[in-house]
Amino acid sequence: MTRRTSVEPVAASAVGGGFDHECDVLVVGFGCAGAAAAYEAASAGADVIVLERASGPGGSSAQSGGELYLGGGTDVQKACGFDDTPDAMYAFLEAALGPHADTAKLRLYCDESVEHFEWFRERGVPFKPTLYPSPVWMPMTDDGLMWLGENAWPYNTLAEPAPRGHRPAAPGFAGGLLMEKLAAAATAAGAATHTDTQAAALVMDGGRVAGVTARSFGRDVAYRARKAVVITTGGFVDNEEMLAAHAPVLLGHGKVSDGLDDGSGIRMATAAGAAVRRMSAVEIALTALPAMVNRGMLVDGLGRRFINEDVYPGHYSVHAVRHQPGPYWTIIDEEGFESVPEADRWGLRPSHAAETLAELERELGMPAGALETTVETYNRHAENGEDPYFHKDPKWLRPLRPPFAAIDPRAGFFDGGGGKGTGAAGFTLGGLHTTVDGAVLNNSGDPVPGLYAAGRASSGMHGEGYISGTSLGDGTFFGRRAGRAAAREENE
């Protein structure tokens, strides 16, 4: 077993040869949260250095779909014909990010969401005032707004539905464009970037965080932070040992990351007395296409439905992986499959097809009669536009007729899975316990002097649920607050 690298804090008096660099605010990690923190700290007049272990900014944020969960009445929402309020946004997110969402952070996020949207626009992030109306994990268009389950039961009973998935104007993976704009804004505000530099441990001056030690091109480097250190190093999905200890549900599944979400920032902070929160919370994405699932059904390995398929796809993914026996299958008929627009098929083809459900059951290894019973019940109610078991929206309800097909999520999107893996991937949501201003708390609930955190290195708004855009959204929102608070920090 590989020995873990020590993250024990280093006393300032023990930094041999003195500090190589000094600044007011030291940001560790240059993803979306780090960019937001660096921008705000530098704009507040602080001397800022950003450390990034890779050769440039971006991290997992740059490889993401770029969705930002924003609402409350943005210009894009208004242009698309939707009236939204912070209260409606809060009602949806409290339920969708729960149980046990962080209501203090969530309330602030919803109340200031329109301002946060304008902050992105002022940083040069473009948004088209157009809606992508179809259910999808991620549009391959540059439309600026998408639905993320707000119009599905039970969420449509809690508040007037409004789409809140805001997307930078780039087709497909828009995270690169988002990070390009945010990194440029942080640099223009005066933040200096030290790339290929990996933080190793926090430096302590008495009980106060005073900097970090790091490694860069094989040599030790020491950084002094006169005001504060802000940790924005991402989650821990790439650390198998931490997953086994805190979030074992993701073991054996794919990882949604840039490969560097190893929990190092969390470990450094806990070694210096920081507390963690909700370390078992995770996001899970099943490679089952909403456009197909909605037109058919999603079943478990025993041929049973278990959720209304028109919910945000992350919700059916979590329900499947956490609570249902696999493997999971999208069941659809020929009419349903042919009605899916080509662009929304993502290259997927059925792995099994049959004229009868009995034959399909045998091919999928399901108990005899199980899928037949599921489809018969579904069809009987669909004839009347009803789904009394799970309340799927009537617009997706119609009886399924032969021939039938099954699509295996393990095949991956765009034929990328090749039948390997589980068909599920995810990332961690838990992390350092922080205030709404990003101050890291210890196990007594008191701030660790000089230490802040944001993004997936911290525990944000999430309880046990997730919605696309709430990582980039809360990472930047609370990253901004952490950067401003760090710049105000008084070194006592």
Side-chain angles (χ1 to χ4, degrees), residues 48-401:
V48 179
I49 295 176
V50 187
L51 301 189
E52 171 52 51
R53 65 190 291 185
S55 296
S60 297
S61 300
Q63 297 185 13
S64 72
E67 293 88 358
L68 296 157
Y69 200 88
L70 301 165
T74 68
D75 281 352
V76 170
Q77 288 180 307
K78 292 176 182 177
C80 293
F82 296 96
D83 293 321
D84 193 19
T85 67
D87 286 346
M89 179 181 178
Y90 179 86
F92 170 74
L93 282 181
E94 184 185 21
L97 299 186
H100 317 304
D102 188 317
T103 54
K105 289 180 177 176
L106 184 56
R107 184 73 255 183
L108 192 65
Y109 183 78
C110 294
D111 287 344
E112 299 185 13
S113 183
V114 172
E115 184 276 335
H116 195 40
F117 167 76
E118 293 298 335
W119 181 85
F120 283 111
R121 291 213 296 193
E122 290 164 5
R123 305 288 79 75
V125 180
F127 298 92
K128 285 185 64 177
T130 54
L131 173 71
Y132 191 85
S134 302
V136 67
W137 272 112
M138 177 181 64
M140 291 300 154
T141 67
D142 60 358
D143 291 299
L145 194 62
M146 65 182 293
W147 289 98
L148 289 168
E150 299 92 344
N151 52 352
W153 187 91
Y155 309 104
N156 58 6
T157 69
L158 304 177
E160 184 68 26
R164 302 188 187 94
H166 287 66
R167 305 190 71 258
F173 292 90
L177 174 60
L178 176 69
M179 277 308 305
E180 175 189 325
K181 299 298 185 182
L182 296 186
T187 300
T193 307
H194 292 195
T195 57
D196 299 294
T197 303
Q198 182 172 359
L202 293 175
V203 174
M204 304 297 295
D205 188 355
R208 182 179 191 81
V209 173
V212 305
T213 60
R215 294 280 292 175
S216 180
F217 295 106
R219 66 185 184 93
D220 294 324
V221 189
Y223 289 82
R224 179 173 181 82
R226 292 183 288 265
K227 289 180 176 288
V229 171
V230 184
I231 293 178
T232 59
T233 49
F236 58 94
V237 72
D238 293 308
N239 186 320
E240 292 291 298
E241 187 175 3
M242 288 184 73
L243 281 186
H246 301 291
V249 69
L250 289 184
L251 290 172
H253 296 298
K255 302 174 187 300
V256 180
S257 80
D258 65 346
L260 300 178
D261 286 342
D262 62 1
S264 56
I266 298 172
R267 293 179 60 224
M268 286 191 300
T270 55
V276 293
R277 195 163 188 247
R278 297 178 176 167
M279 292 286 279
S280 64
V282 298
E283 180 270 359
I284 301 175
L286 191 67
T287 48
L289 278 177
M292 295 184 186
V293 167
N294 284 13
R295 289 167 169 82
M297 63 177 64
L298 186 65
V299 300
D300 64 17
L302 298 178
R304 303 172 301 188
R305 289 180 73 212
F306 49 89
I307 198 170
N308 49 317
E309 293 88 351
D310 56 334
V311 295
Y312 165 66
H315 286 167
Y316 63 60
S317 300
V318 168
H319 276 262
V321 174
R322 280 196 178 275
H323 304 298
Q324 305 299 133
Y328 317 104
W329 301 95
T330 298
I331 305 298
I332 196 168
D333 61 3
E334 184 175 37
E335 180 182 343
F337 182 83
E338 293 299 330
S339 72
V340 178
E342 188 67 36
D344 288 344
R345 293 183 188 176
W346 288 20
L348 288 184
R349 301 290 301 176
S351 54
H352 299 79
E355 286 295 329
T356 68
L357 291 168
E359 182 183 352
L360 195 59
E361 285 172 344
R362 290 192 295 272
E363 290 188 19
L364 302 182
M366 294 176 180
L371 187 59
E372 286 182 301
T373 299
T374 296
V375 174
E376 188 278 328
T377 301
Y378 180 88
N379 283 354
R380 176 160 39 89
H381 293 296
E383 290 278 10
N384 300 317
E386 299 173 346
D387 181 19
Y389 287 89
F390 300 107
H391 309 287
K392 182 193 274 189
D393 191 292
K395 71 182 178 184
W396 299 113
L397 291 174
R398 62 169 186 80
L400 304 182
R401 307 298 187 197

